Amino acid sequence: MAAADATAGDDAFLREAVRLSREKMEAGLGGPFGAVVVRDGAIIARGWNQVTTAHDPTAHAEITAIRAACQALGHFELRGCTIYTSCEPCPMCLGAIYWARPDRVVYANTRQDAAAIGFDDDFIYREVPLPPGARSLTFVHLPSDEARAVFSAWEAKPDKLRY
């Protein structure tokens, strides 16, 4: 999003995400990242980096905010929402954001800014488009009739909730 795409309220909500990042970082609760989810002009959820305190590598600010927002809304999608985050999302958070389907994401620091202080996600960005056999982490594909049967059962399930 270019600065020209900003809307009324973006600055204040982004400042809240940044404020949260500083507050939780200074309290020793995690890295310098914060996020808020906004719907209809109100913050419905806050999240901050809890990787080290929750012993959870997935507990990034955007992920914790998405989890809290979905609980608050009682739904797994964030349509109609904007996520404000203190930094451009990493590949994991970017994937979660796409699955959550908010309308927009507004961020402050860039991934290059994060890399400059030791949070370098560029390696992951480079790995994602590679075929599994070319990645630095070993991926083993073991086809399974049982696994295919589960997918077939899902495909045929008449009462499934698509997401």
Side-chain angles (χ1 to χ4, degrees):
M1 179 186 99
D5 297 324
T7 63
D10 281 349
D11 191 53
F13 292 126
L14 188 58
R15 275 197 317 272
E16 174 58 15
V18 171
R19 184 202 65 75
L20 188 62
S21 72
R22 178 181 290 279
E23 174 189 306
K24 300 304 181 179
M25 175 197 67
E26 289 179 348
L29 297 176
F33 304 98
V36 297
V37 179
V38 173
R39 185 174 199 184
D40 297 328
I43 294 173
I44 61 167
R46 289 173 168 78
W48 58 91
N49 181 284
Q50 299 174 42
V51 170
T52 57
T53 53
H55 310 291
D56 179 355
T58 70
H60 289 200
E62 298 89 344
I63 302 285
T64 61
I66 288 168
R67 290 174 181 160
C70 288
Q71 287 297 308
L73 294 175
H75 201 272
F76 55 84
E77 289 185 346
L78 297 177
R79 293 184 196 277
C81 296
T82 297
I83 297 174
Y84 294 87
T85 179
S86 63
C87 188
E88 181 179 357
C90 76
M92 175 186 68
C93 293
L94 188 60
I97 288 166
Y98 273 96
W99 276 109
R101 296 175 177 91
D103 292 355
R104 306 168 60 233
V105 176
V106 178
Y107 63 94
N109 294 320
T110 67
R111 66 192 225 202
Q112 291 80 14
D113 297 329
I117 63 165
F119 293 94
D120 191 356
D121 300 321
D122 192 54
F123 168 73
I124 301 170
Y125 277 105
R126 288 192 317 268
E127 288 277 303
V128 168
L130 296 175
R135 295 179 184 149
S136 64
L137 180 62
T138 302
F139 281 76
V140 178
H141 176 218
L142 291 176
S144 165
D145 290 339
E146 291 174 80
R148 276 191 294 279
V150 173
F151 273 22
S152 293
W154 172 259
E155 187 176 39
K157 188 174 176 24
D159 62 339
K160 65 181 162 249
L161 182 57
R162 293 191 181 278
Y163 59 96

